[in-house]
């Protein structure tokens, strides 16, 4: 996978090429996991309160996709939601997010993923084998009992390896290979369109994004 991404990126990638490399990674991992069963479905957003780490090109690709799909008013509204979510949730661990039901700001009004076609590898990786277990485990309840969800561990391993391969390829072509909290990363590229060129030129994005 690293070799494939390196071939796609070449020596001077633009935003479209970077987006294609991310899409290729997701498609290849999905193909490897084809026909494996899971209980997730449209509007099932129980796990969408958890922290999601996205590589910078994933966040950039989502931001550019949103700019293309949304009108000005909707995009401005989404940026406000992302900013509010960042202020409240960026330092919360998963338990705190569950208790406060800090749902991903990229969910739509029906509980669906509004960026599903370009969602991060980390979101692809987690699939439940039992939706009732998800509801019980991610209910905002204080308890000392273990709340477990059966997941497809092979699928998770495949997408984790794909995430690592993409990061390795980025590093080898001189691009910033750090990951960032999903909402914070998407908001950064929406608020600062110049970050796209800075990333593509091999410049490190401001450390303040991680503080």
């Amino acid at each position: 996978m690293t070799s494939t991404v390196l071939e796609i990126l070449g020596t001077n990638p633009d935003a479209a090429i970077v987006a294609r490399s991310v899409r290729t990674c997701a498609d290849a991992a999905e193909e490897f996991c084809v026909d494996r069963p899971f209980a997730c479905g449209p509007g099932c957003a129980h796990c969408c309160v958890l922290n999601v780490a996205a590589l910078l090109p994933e966040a950039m690709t989502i931001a550019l996709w949103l700019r293309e799909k949304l009108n000005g008013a909707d995009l401005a509204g989404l940026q406000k939601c992302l900013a509010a979510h960042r202020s409240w949730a960026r330092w919360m661990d998963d338990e705190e997010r569950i208790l406060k039901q800090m749902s991903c700001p990229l969910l739509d009004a029906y509980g669906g993923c509004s960026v599903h076609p370009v969602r991060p590898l980390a979101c692809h990786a987690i699939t439940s084998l039992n939706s009732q277990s998800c509801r019980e485990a991610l209910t905002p309840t204080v308890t000392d009992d273990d709340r477990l969800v059966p997941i497809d561990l092979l699928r998770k391993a495949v997408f984790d390896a794909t995430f690592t391969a993409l990061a390795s390829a980025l590093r080898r072509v001189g691009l910033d290979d750090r990951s960032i909290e999903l909402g914070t990363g998407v908001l950064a590229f929406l608020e600062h369109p110049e970050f796209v060129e800075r990333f593509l030129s091999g410049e490190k994005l401001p450390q303040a994004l991680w503080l």
Side-chain angles (χ1 to χ4, degrees):
M1 182 58 68
T2 300
S3 298
T4 298
V5 175
L6 286 171
E7 184 177 348
I8 294 172
L9 291 175
T11 57
N12 189 29
D14 58 18
I17 289 174
V18 170
R20 182 157 64 90
S21 72
V22 173
R23 182 73 260 167
T24 297
C25 286
D27 288 347
E30 286 288 358
E31 184 176 352
F32 191 91
C33 299
V34 69
D35 293 332
R36 295 185 66 82
F38 54 85
C40 308
C44 176
H46 303 301
C47 68
C48 297
V49 295
L50 303 177
N51 281 290
V52 173
L55 292 167
L56 289 174
E58 295 185 284
M60 180 184 78
T61 297
I62 292 170
L64 293 174
W65 188 87
L66 288 167
R67 282 195 175 278
E68 180 181 335
K69 298 294 182 180
L70 299 183
N71 61 42
D74 288 343
L75 189 62
L78 176 60
Q79 286 186 224
K80 288 182 179 179
C81 289
L82 286 165
H85 187 269
R86 178 186 58 187
S87 297
W88 282 100
R90 67 183 307 182
W91 301 120
M92 291 182 184
D93 60 21
D94 284 340
E95 284 297 322
E96 289 177 294
R97 287 195 179 207
I98 292 170
L99 285 173
K100 296 183 182 296
Q101 288 295 283
M102 297 299 296
S103 297
C104 176
L106 295 172
L107 292 178
D108 63 25
Y110 304 98
C113 177
S114 67
V115 297
H116 195 266
V118 289
R119 67 195 186 281
L121 293 169
C123 294
H124 282 269
I126 303 300
T127 51
S128 170
L129 301 179
N130 187 301
S131 58
Q132 181 61 33
S133 294
C134 280
R135 283 192 290 271
E136 293 173 356
L138 298 169
T139 297
T141 303
V142 177
T143 176
D144 291 328
D145 296 333
D146 290 333
R147 297 189 288 181
L148 305 179
V149 178
I151 68 169
D152 185 346
L153 292 177
L154 175 61
R155 181 183 181 90
K156 186 175 187 306
V158 168
F159 276 94
D160 286 351
T162 303
F163 183 100
T164 301
L166 177 56
S168 176
L170 294 170
R171 184 165 57 252
R172 288 170 63 175
V173 298
L175 297 178
D176 196 336
D177 66 337
R178 290 176 293 175
S179 63
I180 192 168
E181 193 274 328
L182 174 60
T184 299
V186 172
L187 181 62
F189 282 104
L190 288 175
E191 288 185 330
H192 301 279
E194 71 277 10
F195 281 1
V196 173
E197 289 306 318
R198 290 175 65 175
F199 171 77
L200 293 172
S201 70
E203 185 178 342
K204 293 284 188 182
L205 296 191
Q207 186 61 30
L209 294 175
W210 284 266
L211 300 178

